[in-house]
Amino acid sequence: MAAATQPSTNWHLKENARDHHTSKFSSKELIVRRGQAFIVTFNGTEQPEQNLTFIVETGPKPSKLAKTQATFGISSTVSKESWSAVVQSTSSNSVSISISSPPNAVIGRYKLSVRTTSSDSSSPASLGTFVLLFNPWFSGDDVFMPNKAECDEYVLEEFGIIFAGNKNRINSFGWNFGQFQEDILNICLSMLDRSLNYRQDPATDVSHRNDPKYLGRVLSAMVNANDDQGVLLGNWSGNYDGGKSPSSWTGSGEILQNWKKSGFKPVRYGQCWVFAAVLTTVLRCLGIPTRTITNFSSAHDADGNLRVDEFYDASGNHLDRAADSIWNFHVWNESWFSRSDLGPSYSGWQVLDATPQEESGGIYQCGPASRNAIKEGDVDLDYDCPFVFAEVNADCMYWNYDPATGKKTLMFSKSTVIGQFISTKAVGRDDRVDVTNDYKYEEGSKKERDIFKKARKKLGLEDKFDPTAPTPQEIDQKPDISGKFKVAGPLEVGKDLNLILVLANLQSDAKTVHVNMTAWSTVYTRRPVHEIWKDSIPVTLSPKEEKQFPIKISYTEYQQQLTTDNTIQVTALCHVEGGIQVLVQRDITLDNPAIDIQVLGEAKVNKEVDVEVIFTNPIDMEVMDCVLQVEGNDLLRGVLEIAIPPLKASEKSSTKFKLTPFETGPKHLLVNFSCDKFADIKNFKMVNVID
């Protein structure tokens, strides 16, 4: 068989990339989007172009039936339904062809070859490879997003802001998604080839890669290491030996590169925002519009009863005995695509969650759950709607538990605690946008309660007797006193924590109360890690009287116990003589000291510019083991680490380094400062790079 001569191919990388919104990829390979034409010129075919047949194929066993292979000749017009080729121009020995893929083509790396009809005996000549991605700019694609500014933000933007803290005090930090960094696209494609589905049946898995629902679900499993040796190993213990603490990462690129460099061993360690940020990177890279969402007071309903139970002992210690929990915040993803499986009213934003919390279909994956289905209580729809519905809607039950007898007593229940200030970054701005109303009707409204009942009914919870549920009598009991913790001073790491416990007698007779108070350091999931402080006080309250009790927890008391989340849970369990116990609690997130970034001069492409980072040690003791970590797309490659000498009490440090930006436009520089007394002090600065 005579092999065809190898034609030389001009992929028109620049023009195709511009037309397909792929110019930001740093690749020598053609990267295009489906449903849209791209130009290829090749020479070395002496045949008239009418005799040319093209073959595209992807995956290990390309087949026409699985839509992983297509053969097509030259036609006069573009086909909407299948691969097609139209001649653009010809010269004596070269031909320029416009090739179009269908809007539902499988995404991934393709081989393109050409065969001449007159020589059927010859094998096709390879023209090379290209990568095909989802196309949110094309109306025929499942991921079509009509608003161009949203496409720019949710597909092309490499910088993000993630919201954290707690419902009383929302804070935020920058993240470098870096989806267009060198080799990230290849790592994303190899992630698909390492999934359980691919390992079980490669050909079938590849044939499903035209479907954003399928890919979103597979990747929500692959970003965590459970089940499949995926990208990140989760750790919520507060001890991160043997890896990097989750709060020390500033971007996804380093995590994905480390995963590949280690021979695809899970990277240590992630927590929810790291899983969500990496999934954002991967999905934006593949062309699926994606954003991170933070839900404050987020329920983890392990047993699927739309109720979260928390247990406290008589001293007020929060017991880690239930599988259920209420996290200060939880971060997941929303991706934008249509739901042909459910119908048009469920299209749009879909919830995906790569944090390994509960198994779905036997493995740790979650979603896509239609956000509209969550809001309407349609929890019987695919995928994982009950779990996501509970994250924003579950009812809370707070129990007193006696470990000696196993007896539990309901202290109170609340239906308005869960799912608050649901937040995401604004389009084109570094601001917070509240999307709570897109997840549920107004808290406390009749409509919201009706939806909750509808969801319970669909899950079969209305008719089933639940022996663990409180009785109506327990739920209706009214406390004799009320209490709250007020903040009386700055909430900053390095300063004493001053609070006021306010207790009020709601009755017209005097009350005797014994108050047991505790403070524990926690991780952001509110899991207790170390006891910091405890105290008990006897209190008598005259009829309708309100009393205030100042509480001071000194820096020296909490400094050694604090986790990298800077979170403390303060609890007062009030034993009221002759009445029901009252639980008063507050989750406190302490702010890190500030760090300042100054760009000294104009930032120009390929010109060095000095940057200064300034930090003042706010405490009256020396801080040691100081490290500054810097990254920023198009400003520097990789992550820069600078060791900083120890700082005496109140000493100011100035660290200077040079950048050489390599692209124009608004870029973000992210810094992260750590030492033995402060973990992960983060800041970012927008740098406008000019020609």
Side-chain angles (χ1 to χ4, degrees):
M1 227 163 56
T5 53
Q6 186 69 35
S8 72
T9 311
N10 175 356
W11 291 103
H12 298 280
L13 293 178
K14 213 172 172 160
E15 300 81 350
N16 282 325
R18 185 193 60 220
D19 292 347
H20 286 254
H21 302 91
T22 56
S23 304
K24 286 188 168 184
F25 283 103
S26 44
S27 163
K28 300 286 171 278
E29 188 177 22
L30 177 68
I31 301 167
V32 289
R33 299 188 185 276
R34 63 188 192 175
Q36 190 178 334
F38 61 91
I39 307 290
V40 167
T41 301
F42 55 95
N43 55 19
T45 65
E46 307 302 326
Q47 298 293 325
E49 56 277 6
Q50 275 64 31
N51 292 347
L52 300 177
T53 301
F54 296 93
I55 301 139
V56 288
E57 43 194 13
T58 186
K61 289 187 190 157
S63 88
K64 290 193 169 100
L65 192 65
K67 294 195 163 47
T68 49
Q69 182 189 56
T71 307
F72 51 98
I74 298 285
S75 51
S76 54
T77 54
V78 173
S79 161
K80 292 268 192 296
E81 305 301 313
S82 57
W83 288 84
S84 59
V86 175
V87 175
Q88 292 293 101
S89 63
T90 55
S91 66
S92 56
N93 66 341
S94 77
V95 57
S96 288
I97 305 282
S98 167
I99 294 178
S100 299
S101 58
N104 62 348
V106 165
I107 62 116
R109 181 168 278 112
Y110 279 82
K111 289 189 200 120
L112 175 64
S113 354
V114 62
R115 193 170 55 216
T116 50
T117 329
S118 61
S119 52
D120 259 351
S121 58
S122 68
S123 56
S126 170
L127 295 175
T129 64
F130 65 93
V131 177
L132 191 67
L133 302 176
F134 289 99
N135 193 351
W137 286 268
F138 181 64
S139 61
D141 198 308
D142 280 344
V143 303
F144 173 59
M145 191 164 231
N147 182 321
K148 298 292 173 282
E150 291 184 352
C151 281
D152 286 350
E153 178 75 44
Y154 299 133
V155 181
L156 300 182
E157 181 55 66
E158 292 187 85
F159 171 76
I161 291 176
I162 295 172
F163 297 93
N166 65 46
K167 64 172 191 267
N168 303 314
R169 200 176 181 85
I170 295 174
N171 58 40
S172 63
F173 52 88
W175 190 273
N176 186 5
F177 293 124
Q179 65 267 34
F180 301 115
Q181 286 174 11
E182 201 168 345
D183 216 27
I184 294 297
L185 176 57
N186 285 328
I187 295 170
C188 295
L189 294 175
S190 51
M191 202 182 291
L192 294 174
D193 289 349
R194 305 188 74 78
S195 73
L196 293 178
N197 294 28
Y198 184 87
R199 286 184 232 171
Q200 283 154 8
D201 185 348
T204 303
D205 170 74
V206 173
S207 74
H208 284 138
R209 291 184 189 174
N210 63 335
D211 181 356
K213 301 190 287 301
Y214 177 80
L215 277 195
R217 189 160 173 80
V218 165
L219 289 166
S220 79
M222 274 307 294
V223 166
N224 67 64
N226 305 48
D227 316 303
D228 49 24
Q229 289 291 291
V231 179
L232 271 164
L233 190 61
N235 179 344
W236 286 267
S237 68
N239 172 4
Y240 308 115
D241 294 346
K244 276 186 70 156
S245 121
S247 56
S248 68
W249 304 106
T250 48
S252 310
E254 187 186 1
I255 295 167
L256 290 164
Q257 303 279 10
N258 287 359
W259 184 56
K260 184 184 177 181
K261 273 185 208 137
S262 70
F264 301 104
K265 288 190 184 67
V267 175
R268 298 161 186 257
Y269 292 104
Q271 287 172 354
C272 67
W273 68 92
V274 192
F275 292 108
V278 170
L279 187 56
T280 301
T281 297
V282 175
L283 293 172
R284 284 187 185 181
C285 182
L286 298 176
I288 300 176
T290 302
R291 60 190 190 178
T292 60
I293 298 284
T294 302
N295 178 38
F296 290 94
S297 298
S298 189
H300 177 164
D301 174 22
D303 50 10
N305 59 2
L306 300 188
R307 199 182 78 224
V308 174
D309 297 301
E310 283 204 341
F311 296 90
Y312 293 81
D313 67 12
S315 308
N317 294 307
H318 180 180
L319 302 174
D320 195 13
R321 71 174 297 276
D324 289 354
S325 51
I326 304 164
W327 297 16
N328 280 331
F329 68 92
H330 177 43
V331 185
W332 60 68
N333 296 91
E334 283 180 356
S335 289
W336 178 273
F337 46 84
S338 64
R339 292 298 298 266
S340 51
D341 58 328
L342 304 179
S345 61
Y346 298 104
S347 294
W349 289 115
Q350 310 292 323
V351 174
L352 293 163
D353 193 344
T355 299
Q357 294 185 90
E358 296 295 328
E359 289 185 356
S360 169
I363 60 174
Y364 284 96
Q365 58 189 352
C366 180
S370 160
R371 196 181 68 181
N372 290 353
I374 302 302
K375 182 166 182 174
E376 298 302 333
D378 294 324
V379 291
D380 48 345
L381 301 179
D382 287 344
Y383 295 85
D384 306 309
C385 282
F387 185 75
V388 180
F389 183 86
E391 285 181 308
V392 297
N393 283 305
D395 284 350
C396 298
M397 307 284 161
Y398 299 87
W399 303 83
N400 177 229
Y401 179 76
D402 182 350
T405 61
K407 183 174 185 288
K408 60 178 194 148
T409 318
L410 184 75
M411 292 184 283
F412 70 102
S413 66
K414 275 215 160 135
S415 65
T416 54
V417 169
I418 296 298
Q420 301 193 40
F421 302 109
I422 306 176
S423 303
T424 193
K425 176 189 174 298
V427 173
R429 305 192 318 277
D430 292 349
D431 300 329
R432 183 182 84 87
V433 173
D434 194 295
V435 294
T436 311
N437 292 341
D438 296 323
Y439 276 86
K440 54 185 178 181
Y441 290 93
E442 196 177 337
E443 202 68 76
S445 68
K446 182 179 182 305
K447 180 80 173 167
E448 184 265 341
R449 283 289 92 188
D450 288 348
I451 296 282
F452 188 76
K453 286 197 186 88
K454 171 183 173 182
R456 279 184 58 86
K457 199 166 179 180
K458 285 194 175 224
L459 294 173
L461 297 170
E462 287 288 292
D463 322 317
K464 197 167 63 185
F465 174 67
D466 180 358
T468 65
T471 63
Q473 291 78 8
E474 283 181 301
I475 286 176
D476 288 342
Q477 56 191 356
K478 295 280 184 285
D480 293 326
I481 67 164
S482 70
K484 65 181 173 196
F485 283 112
K486 277 182 17 187
V487 173
L491 296 178
E492 289 170 32
V493 179
K495 298 209 162 83
D496 296 344
L497 175 58
N498 287 291
L499 301 170
I500 297 166
L501 174 64
V502 182
L503 294 179
N505 183 356
L506 304 173
Q507 305 300 335
S508 39
D509 54 337
K511 293 292 169 196
T512 306
V513 187
H514 189 79
V515 182
N516 291 337
M517 295 180 288
T518 64
W520 284 70
S521 67
T522 64
V523 284
Y524 76 99
T525 62
R526 292 177 60 255
R527 189 179 150 271
V529 178
H530 299 287
E531 186 178 72
I532 292 173
W533 166 91
K534 63 177 175 191
D535 196 10
S536 333
I537 47 169
V539 175
T540 43
L541 293 170
S542 311
K544 303 286 184 186
E545 185 187 16
E546 181 177 286
K547 274 189 180 170
Q548 301 199 347
F549 305 91
I551 291 164
K552 178 176 169 177
I553 301 171
S554 69
Y555 175 54
T556 47
E557 281 177 289
Y558 74 73
Q559 182 241 318
Q560 294 288 318
Q561 318 299 342
L562 208 57
T563 67
T564 54
D565 293 322
N566 297 346
T567 47
I568 295 173
Q569 187 180 56
V570 189
T571 305
L573 194 61
C574 307
H575 300 265
V576 184
E577 277 186 21
I580 63 168
Q581 296 168 351
V582 171
L583 176 73
V584 185
Q585 60 164 203
R586 182 149 183 164
D587 292 288
I588 286 160
T589 304
L590 300 177
D591 291 339
N592 268 327
I595 188 163
D596 189 44
I597 310 166
Q598 296 293 335
V599 181
L600 309 173
E602 268 191 331
K604 293 186 169 176
V605 171
N606 300 327
K607 295 268 194 311
E608 276 194 344
V609 62
D610 285 310
V611 177
E612 183 180 27
V613 175
I614 299 156
F615 174 72
T616 304
N617 175 10
I619 55 175
D620 55 7
M621 53 181 97
E622 186 176 59
V623 300
M624 296 155 67
D625 310 326
C626 307
V627 179
L628 184 68
Q629 191 177 298
V630 186
E631 74 170 290
N633 270 333
D634 302 334
L635 296 172
L636 71 163
R637 295 184 201 281
V639 179
L640 178 66
E641 276 205 0
I642 304 166
I644 295 173
L647 286 172
K648 295 190 177 56
S650 307
E651 189 184 348
K652 176 174 162 179
S653 86
S654 156
T655 309
K656 283 191 179 154
F657 56 90
K658 291 184 187 309
L659 292 181
T660 309
F662 40 94
E663 288 286 341
T664 58
K667 308 294 171 189
H668 286 83
L669 186 69
L670 296 94
V671 302
N672 185 35
F673 174 85
S674 279
C675 60
D676 63 339
K677 302 286 192 293
F678 301 102
D680 308 310
I681 300 174
K682 291 183 160 73
N683 201 356
F684 63 84
K685 187 165 188 79
M686 207 271 277
V687 181
N688 200 24
V689 182
I690 56 175
D691 259 340

